[in-house]
Amino acid sequence: MDGKLIIFSAPSGSGKTTIVRHLLAENTNLGFSISACTRDRRGRAEQNGKDYYFLTPDEFKHKIDAGEFVEWEEVYVGAFYGTLKSEIERLWASGKHVLFDVDVQGGLKLKKYYGDKALAVFVRVPDEETLRQRLIGRGTETEDSLSKRLFKVHFEMSFQDQFDVVLVNDDLQTSFRKAQKLVDDFVSEGKVPERGAIL
Ligand code: ADP
Ligand code: 5GP
């Protein structure tokens, strides 16, 4: 099988995890790239080895030194996230195309590394107030982590033109359909939308 990669990146709160989870539930030929990270687990809502590989900062640094990451980022001060080479190999070996939920910088690094084998999708909300409301509504953020996430939004938005396609996540069911079509076209025919397309 010609294993492909589909990358979803976005400012936090834009809906990439929601879209990625939906695609995984609907497509048995897709597998999720479980990232390594050093942030704390969100209680029972997250499991080690399913949502993330939760590592200590020392374990993470050791893997950087050993060259085990295809990309890694300090996404927020003191919080490291990265994609393990072994994860992509594991999923390809099981016959799956790999789906990523990574930050904007990480998404661009993966796209650069894998080129035409990868489709890089930038997810964005219609406006910033919607983003704030969604982050608050998710109920996962403290005041501090909320402001860290909102602080990064403008910087992250400035990279959207470098992605293959921008998906505006307004009505969720419509977004699911747009994402599914992107995956279908890319996986079956290697089709990528016209440069600069905003869906
Ligand atoms: P991200 O992974 O980009 O940080 P999430 O997928 O966690 O974002 O979405 C942030 C919050 O917004 C979640 O509570 C999610 O249920 C909600 N959400 C996502 N997409 C939509 C949408 N189209 N309309 C309304 N709420 C949404
Ligand atoms: P969260 O803490 O909300 O789970 O994730 C914070 C941010 O880190 C999100 O934007 C998420 O997409 C990103 N992220 C998750 N895994 C990786 C990864 O492996 N590499 C990079 N660069 N970012 C990641």
Side-chain angles (χ1 to χ4, degrees):
M1 189 199 76
D2 184 20
K4 294 200 162 109
L5 307 96
I6 301 139
I7 304 155
F8 284 86
S9 295
S12 184
S14 306
K16 59 189 177 306
T17 307
T18 306
I19 292 170
V20 163
R21 285 198 179 143
H22 174 80
L23 289 171
L24 287 165
E26 298 288 316
N27 298 270
T28 52
N29 62 340
L30 301 179
F32 180 58
S33 169
I34 303 166
S35 297
C37 80
T38 64
R39 77 152 164 75
D40 292 338
R41 202 159 62 95
R42 287 176 189 144
R44 292 206 183 139
E46 291 184 327
Q47 286 173 32
N48 187 33
K50 179 168 175 277
D51 300 285
Y52 283 107
Y53 300 113
F54 292 98
L55 305 181
T56 64
D58 275 351
E59 287 168 336
F60 199 97
K61 281 188 190 119
H62 179 77
K63 288 190 188 296
I64 295 175
D65 293 342
E68 292 184 37
F69 287 108
V70 57
E71 64 80 30
W72 63 270
E73 291 285 329
E74 186 175 3
V75 177
Y76 303 106
V77 177
F80 292 81
Y81 295 77
T83 305
L84 292 161
K85 291 175 183 162
S86 57
E87 188 61 14
I88 298 174
E89 278 150 23
R90 176 180 76 80
L91 290 163
W92 278 346
S94 69
K96 305 225 184 218
H97 302 292
V98 187
L99 210 50
F100 294 86
D101 172 345
V102 294
D103 91 315
V104 170
Q105 308 293 319
L108 287 175
K109 277 191 193 164
L110 287 166
K111 172 68 189 177
K112 200 165 170 202
Y113 192 87
Y114 289 102
D116 290 347
K117 279 175 93 69
L119 175 72
V121 184
F122 185 98
V123 179
R124 80 165 200 231
V125 290
D127 56 75
E128 208 176 304
E129 182 51 26
T130 308
L131 183 71
R132 222 175 81 80
Q133 291 307 330
R134 285 194 193 162
L135 269 175
I136 292 169
R138 191 169 71 182
T140 52
E141 307 310 316
T142 60
E143 228 169 85
D144 179 52
S145 70
L146 180 68
S147 65
K148 272 186 191 163
R149 280 157 202 260
L150 290 173
F151 180 73
K152 271 191 92 169
V153 172
H154 291 269
F155 175 67
E156 291 172 313
M157 290 291 281
S158 70
F159 293 95
Q160 59 183 298
D161 296 350
Q162 296 179 42
F163 281 73
D164 290 317
V165 57
V166 174
L167 192 164
V168 181
N169 178 22
D170 193 351
D171 172 69
L172 190 54
Q173 295 306 319
T174 308
S175 299
F176 286 162
R177 280 196 292 277
K178 290 191 261 192
Q180 184 65 56
K181 180 153 173 32
L182 282 170
V183 168
D184 289 343
D185 288 352
F186 184 64
V187 163
S188 59
E189 299 167 45
K191 223 162 91 182
V192 176
E194 223 171 88
R195 186 103 213 124
I198 300 177
L199 305 179

